Amino acid sequence: MTKLKIWEVSLLCALCVSLLAGTWAQTKQAEIASSLMRLHVIAVSDDKTEQEIKLRVRDEVLKSISPELENAANADDAESIVRANLGKIQRAAMRKAEGRKVTVSLGEEYYPTRHYENFSLPAGKYTSLRVILGEGKGHNWWCVVFPPLCVSAAEQEAALDAMNGDDKAILTEADGYVVKFRVLELWGELMEKLGQ
């Protein structure tokens, strides 16, 4: 039997640690993603007027769906509610789109790491309510529509308090955020690149 050299043992150990960290990161990101639904509004273009219309559409969509989502106990309920109200959401968006084509869909979408005022979300795939204006070539806007984090800082705190301790610690800066979150971010980006 051939003896392994020190660098070979080191390489094997590094590979094992990387695989374990990746598995943990993928599991945590999936747990976080399964408890959230995101809203993604994409403007026609980067023109100032189009960006303003995008924000008006966002506000109307949130106004339309937020009361319905108050009845959601979890992300699965929220998804069912949104799916049942896609027509209503589209009509709300069209009211503020000033004649622009509006496409509304619900599905999985990849998001990069996103830092909000009081928390951050790791890169990965999330259930997403997408509202695309025209060809959707402009800057976009996104937030978490369930739990309702597309709201004020006080309401964000209340929604974060409702999450379990481990997920809240990963999303906020508490309990080792920097190390844990960077592993989630790197793993999510690697998986997205491999998936392409």
Side-chain angles (χ1 to χ4, degrees):
M1 185 166 150
T2 307
K3 288 187 180 181
L4 292 175
K5 296 179 178 139
I6 291 176
W7 69 268
E8 291 172 323
V9 171
S10 298
L11 185 61
L12 285 172
C13 287
L15 179 62
C16 288
V17 168
S18 296
L19 289 173
L20 289 172
T23 300
W24 175 86
Q26 191 170 13
T27 300
K28 286 316 269 181
Q29 191 282 325
E31 283 178 24
I32 292 167
S34 71
S35 65
L36 303 175
M37 178 183 291
R38 296 178 80 163
L39 171 63
H40 191 186
V41 183
I42 307 167
V44 170
S45 71
D46 290 338
D47 177 77
K48 183 180 179 202
T49 301
E50 297 300 337
Q51 290 297 310
E52 289 170 358
I53 290 170
K54 170 192 73 178
L55 296 178
R56 287 195 291 270
V57 167
R58 169 207 63 193
D59 292 345
E60 193 69 14
V61 166
L62 288 171
K63 181 178 155 186
S64 168
I65 197 62
S66 292
E68 305 287 341
L69 289 174
E70 288 177 8
N71 299 321
N74 55 47
D76 290 336
D77 286 353
E79 185 174 345
S80 295
I81 290 167
V82 167
R83 192 169 305 286
N85 285 281
L86 285 175
K88 176 183 177 182
I89 295 165
Q90 182 157 16
R91 288 188 297 279
M94 289 172 70
R95 281 194 295 271
K96 297 297 179 171
E98 298 183 17
R100 284 139 185 91
K101 175 184 162 196
V102 175
T103 305
V104 175
S105 63
L106 180 65
E108 272 203 349
E109 183 177 12
Y110 177 83
Y111 285 84
T113 298
R114 179 73 172 141
H115 304 283
Y116 295 93
E117 186 176 331
N118 295 325
F119 65 99
S120 295
L121 290 174
K125 288 190 177 181
Y126 293 85
T127 300
S128 179
L129 169 59
R130 292 187 79 190
V131 179
I132 302 171
L133 303 174
E135 298 300 314
K137 304 268 186 199
H139 278 98
N140 58 55
W141 182 91
W142 54 51
C143 73
V144 178
V145 74
F146 182 86
L149 301 179
C150 304
V151 291
S152 70
E155 291 169 307
Q156 284 181 14
E157 281 300 317
L160 283 171
D161 286 342
M163 298 184 86
N164 76 45
D166 289 341
D167 289 347
K168 183 178 177 184
I170 289 171
L171 297 181
T172 64
E173 294 187 16
D175 192 32
Y177 158 84
V178 174
V179 174
K180 287 181 179 178
F181 188 71
R182 186 65 182 148
V183 170
L184 288 173
E185 183 178 340
L186 290 171
W187 187 257
E189 290 170 3
L190 175 66
M191 291 297 97
E192 179 63 15
K193 286 179 182 170
L194 292 175
Q196 292 180 355

